[in-house]
Amino acid sequence: MRNHLIYFSFVFFISNCIYAHNFQQLPSLNDQAEKIYKQNPQKALEILEKALQEYKQENLNASYNLMGLVYRDIGKLEEAIKYSTLVIENSKKDSLKASAYNNLGACLRQKGAYENAIQNYLKALHIYENNNQQKEIAVVNNNIGLVYSYLGLPEKALEFHVAAQQKFEEIEYEKGVSEALNNIAIVYANKGDLDKALINFKKSLKIEEKRNDVKGKAESLNNVGGVYYYQGEVDSALVYFQKSIQLEKSIKNFAGLASSYNNMATVLMENNRLQKSKIYLDSAFNYATKYKMITDKENALFNYSQFYELSNENKNALLYFKKYADLKDSTKNIATNNKVSQLEIEYETKKKENQILQQKAKLAEKELEVRKKNMYLYGSLGLALILGLLGYLFYNQQRLKNLQFKKESQLKIALAKIQTQNELQEQRLRISRDLHDNIGAQLTFIISSLDNLKFAFPAMENKILKKLTSISDFTGKTIYELRDTIWAMNKEKISFEDLQIRITNFIEKANQLFEEQISNSIFLQK
C-alpha cells in the first residue's frame, strides 16, 4: 500500500432510465434534455430552462426532476436539492417523487448528511417496492450500499452492491451493471484486494466505453488510475487521471474534477513534485468547498496535511490534519452509524408488517376469487348443459327435417320419371299404331294388288311377271322390317332372350334365301 491515499469515484445511480421509463409520453423539450444530459449537461440545462417557462403541472414537475438530476451530476448540490424538493412538494406522481427522493439522497450523501440520505433512499425504495419496479429497487440498493461504504462498513456495502449487480444482470441493464461493478471494486480496493478491484473497474470501464457515457468513462478512468497507483504503476496512474480530468472538464462535472485533482496531487506528492501537486491540491479544495462536496473536502484537507509534512512544515501539517479529523468526525461517527442501522431496521420491520398485511389481504382476495370461480364454474357447467341439450334438440329436429326433405325430393324425382316414361310409352304406342294401321295396311294393299294383277293376266310376259314378283317380295320385306320396328318401339327394355330369338329368325331366313339362290342357279344352268 502507498503512503498517500487515492480516492475512488463512487457512482450514485440517479438514472435517466428511471425517468424515461415512467414518462415516455413527455413533451419534446423534456425528452431532448433527458437524452443528452449525461453527455452534454450544459445544453440539457438550457433546454430545461426553456421548458420551465413553457410547461405547467406535471410536465413542469418532470422538468424540475431533470434539473435536479443534471445539477447533481455536475456537482451543484444546492441547486439539485432545490429542484428535487420542488418535485417532492408539488408532484402527485409516485414515479417522479421516487426519482426525486433518490436524487436528494445522493446529494445529502455527498454533503455528508448520511442519516438524511438513508431516509430519502428508503422513501424512494418504498415507492418502487410498492410498484414492483425491479430495476429501480436495484438502483436504490446500490446507492444505499455506497452510504455503508462511506460509513466504513464494507461487508454491509458489498451485500447491497452484489444484490444490485445480480438484479441488473437479470434484467440485462448494462448501465446498472457497470455502476454496481464500479462500487463493488471500490469496496475491494478499500479492503486491500487490488486485483479484484482492478478487474471490476475495467469491466465497468468497458461497459461505459461501449455506451459512450462521458461521465461514466471519466469516473471509471479515475478509479482504474487509483488502482494502478496503489500497485506502484505511477505512470499508468497519471495517464488515467489525466484522461479522467479531460472528460470531466468537457462536461463541466465539478464534483468529478475535485476527486480527480485530489488524486493527481497525491501521485505528484508521492514523486516529490510538491510545487505542481500544490496547484492540483488547491483546485481540488476550491471545487470541493464551492460545491460543498464534503468527501472531496475531507480528502483535500488530508492531502494538505501530507503536503506540509513533506515540505517540513510540521505546524501546518498538524493544523490541516486536525481540520481533516474534525470534519471527518462531524460526518462519520458511531452515533451516525447506529442511527443509519436503526433506520434500516425500522424500515425492514415496517416492510415486514406491510408484507404480512398484504399477504392476509391477498389470502382474503384469493378466497373470494375461489368462491367466485366456483360459482362461475357451476354456472358455466349448468349453462353448458342447457346449451348442449338445446343444441341436440335443434340438431335432431333439423336432421329429421333434412331427412323428410330428402325423401320428398326423391319421391318427386321418381314421380317425374314415371310420368316421363308413361308419356314416352304412350307416344311409342301411338306411333306403332299409326305405323301398323296406316303404313302396314297400305303395304298389305300393295301386295294384294300385285297378286290380283298376276291372276288377272296369266299370260303376262315373264319379264313383267318377275318385276311384279320382285315388287311384291320387296313390299313383304318392308312389312316384316316395319313389324320389327314396331316390336322394338313397344319394348321398353330388350332382354337377351328376345334378342337371341330375333337373331335366330334372321339366320333362318338368311339360310332360306341362300338355298333359293342356289336352286335358281342350278335351274338356270340346266
Side-chain angles (χ1 to χ4, degrees), residues 242-259:
Q242 286 289 0
K243 288 181 179 179
S244 176
I245 288 172
Q246 289 172 3
L247 291 178
E248 299 288 8
K249 285 181 177 179
S250 71
I251 61 173
K252 297 182 179 181
N253 180 20
F254 304 112
L257 277 174
S259 175

Side-chain angles (χ1 to χ4, degrees), residues 173 231 269 353 480:
Y173 184 57
Q231 290 179 335
M269 283 190 290
E353 290 176 353
Y480 180 78

Side-chain angles (χ1 to χ4, degrees), residues 14 61 63-72 77-91 96-107 120:
I14 308 306
N61 287 324
S63 300
Y64 286 153
N65 187 55
L66 269 175
M67 293 285 277
L69 300 182
V70 178
Y71 276 123
R72 196 214 64 82
L77 300 183
E78 296 301 326
E79 291 294 318
I81 290 171
K82 180 181 77 173
Y83 284 108
S84 292
T85 302
L86 283 173
V87 175
I88 292 168
E89 291 175 349
N90 298 314
S91 179
L96 268 178
K97 294 178 76 170
S99 181
Y101 278 128
N102 190 45
N103 193 42
L104 193 56
C107 294
N120 283 278

Side-chain angles (χ1 to χ4, degrees), residues 148-165:
Y148 280 115
S149 284
Y150 278 103
L151 291 172
L153 302 170
E155 297 304 326
K156 193 70 176 176
L158 201 58
E159 177 186 334
F160 278 89
H161 292 320
V162 170
Q165 178 200 354

Side-chain angles (χ1 to χ4, degrees), residues 259-513:
S259 175
S260 298
Y261 282 141
N262 265 323
N263 289 340
M264 284 293 293
T266 299
V267 176
L268 292 170
M269 283 190 290
E270 177 75 14
N271 289 274
N272 294 318
R273 298 166 64 181
L274 297 181
Q275 293 305 315
K276 194 170 183 179
S277 71
K278 183 67 161 53
I279 297 172
Y280 285 104
L281 185 53
D282 289 340
S283 297
F285 183 78
N286 289 334
Y287 277 117
T289 303
K290 182 177 179 180
Y291 296 104
K292 299 181 179 180
M293 311 296 292
I294 194 68
T295 304
D296 292 319
K297 188 175 180 179
E298 287 178 9
N299 297 339
L301 289 171
F302 180 81
N303 280 337
Y304 272 127
S305 174
Q306 295 293 306
F307 171 80
Y308 285 116
E309 184 179 350
L310 291 171
S311 302
N312 295 319
E313 298 181 27
N314 294 330
K315 184 177 180 179
N316 284 332
L318 180 59
L319 174 64
Y320 277 97
F321 187 80
K322 285 183 178 180
K323 288 182 179 181
Y324 161 74
D326 290 341
L327 182 60
K328 195 168 187 66
D329 287 341
S330 67
T331 58
K332 180 179 178 182
N333 51 54
I334 295 174
T336 300
N337 291 352
N338 291 339
K339 183 62 177 178
V340 169
S341 298
Q342 183 181 350
L343 286 171
E344 186 185 2
I345 291 170
E346 289 176 357
Y347 177 77
E348 291 297 329
T349 301
K350 187 176 180 181
K351 180 180 174 181
K352 288 180 180 178
E353 290 176 353
N354 288 334
Q355 288 176 346
I356 291 171
L357 291 174
Q358 289 175 1
Q359 288 175 355
K360 288 182 178 179
K362 286 181 180 179
L363 287 174
E365 289 177 0
K366 286 182 179 180
E367 186 177 349
L368 183 60
E369 286 179 3
V370 169
R371 290 179 182 177
K372 287 182 178 179
K373 286 180 180 179
N374 288 337
M375 291 177 63
Y376 289 146
L377 179 62
Y378 295 143
S380 299
L381 289 174
L383 181 61
L385 185 61
I386 293 171
L387 291 175
L389 182 60
L390 291 174
Y392 173 76
L393 293 174
F394 176 77
Y395 167 77
N396 194 47
Q397 184 179 10
Q398 192 66 30
R399 186 178 64 81
L400 293 174
K401 284 183 179 180
N402 291 339
L403 186 60
Q404 184 178 358
F405 177 76
K406 184 177 180 180
K407 289 182 178 179
E408 289 177 355
S409 297
Q410 291 175 347
L411 181 60
K412 287 180 181 179
I413 293 170
L415 290 174
K417 187 176 181 181
I418 291 171
Q419 184 177 358
T420 301
Q421 289 176 347
N422 289 338
E423 290 176 354
L424 181 61
Q425 186 63 25
E426 289 178 0
Q427 188 72 10
R428 285 174 177 170
L429 291 173
R430 184 180 63 77
I431 292 171
S432 63
R433 283 197 300 270
D434 290 343
L435 289 173
H436 184 272
D437 294 343
N438 295 329
I439 297 175
Q442 291 171 1
L443 291 174
T444 303
F445 175 75
I446 290 171
I447 292 172
S448 177
S449 297
L450 290 173
D451 289 339
N452 289 334
L453 285 173
K454 288 179 185 178
F455 286 111
F457 301 98
M460 190 181 302
E461 292 182 4
N462 288 334
K463 187 176 180 180
I464 295 172
L465 183 61
K466 288 181 180 179
K467 191 67 175 176
L468 291 175
T469 302
S470 175
I471 294 170
S472 177
D473 292 341
F474 177 77
T475 305
K477 290 179 182 178
T478 302
I479 291 172
Y480 180 78
E481 290 175 357
L482 181 63
R483 286 174 181 169
D484 282 345
T485 301
I486 293 171
W487 173 82
M489 288 181 64
N490 286 332
K491 286 285 188 178
E492 182 177 355
K493 293 181 181 180
I494 299 175
S495 65
F496 178 78
E497 289 78 8
D498 292 336
L499 183 61
Q500 185 179 18
I501 293 170
R502 302 297 292 182
I503 291 172
T504 302
N505 292 336
F506 175 78
I507 292 171
E508 289 178 355
K509 288 182 181 180
N511 288 333
Q512 290 178 0
L513 288 173

Side-chain angles (χ1 to χ4, degrees), residues 80-219:
I81 290 171
K82 180 181 77 173
Y83 284 108
S84 292
T85 302
L86 283 173
V87 175
I88 292 168
E89 291 175 349
N90 298 314
S91 179
K92 295 181 180 178
K93 289 184 177 293
D94 282 346
S95 49
L96 268 178
K97 294 178 76 170
S99 181
Y101 278 128
N102 190 45
N103 193 42
L104 193 56
C107 294
L108 292 169
R109 193 281 316 161
Q110 287 178 281
K111 289 171 67 68
Y114 299 122
E115 180 181 331
N116 289 336
I118 286 289
Q119 287 176 340
N120 283 278
Y121 282 141
L122 292 179
K123 287 177 182 178
L125 186 62
H126 178 69
I127 293 173
Y128 290 138
E129 286 180 339
N130 283 344
N131 295 324
N132 195 31
Q133 294 173 262
Q134 296 299 313
K135 179 166 63 177
E136 288 74 10
I137 291 170
V139 165
V140 180
N141 280 331
N142 198 32
N143 291 345
I144 291 173
L146 294 176
V147 178
Y148 280 115
S149 284
Y150 278 103
L151 291 172
L153 302 170
E155 297 304 326
K156 193 70 176 176
L158 201 58
E159 177 186 334
F160 278 89
H161 292 320
V162 170
Q165 178 200 354
Q166 290 173 348
K167 179 56 67 176
F168 285 134
E169 288 177 345
E170 181 182 329
I171 62 178
E172 298 181 353
Y173 184 57
E174 286 187 337
K175 180 63 177 177
V177 173
S178 170
E179 297 184 341
L181 287 170
N182 182 82
N183 296 336
I184 290 169
I186 293 174
V187 175
Y188 281 127
N190 290 334
K191 292 174 66 176
D193 193 342
L194 297 181
D195 291 335
K196 284 186 179 180
L198 187 58
I199 290 171
N200 284 282
F201 278 141
K202 286 190 173 181
K203 285 181 179 179
S204 176
L205 177 59
K206 187 175 181 179
I207 294 173
E208 297 300 341
E209 287 175 339
K210 177 183 175 183
R211 298 182 67 257
N212 195 28
D213 187 324
V214 178
K215 186 173 183 295
K217 284 193 290 184
E219 290 163 343

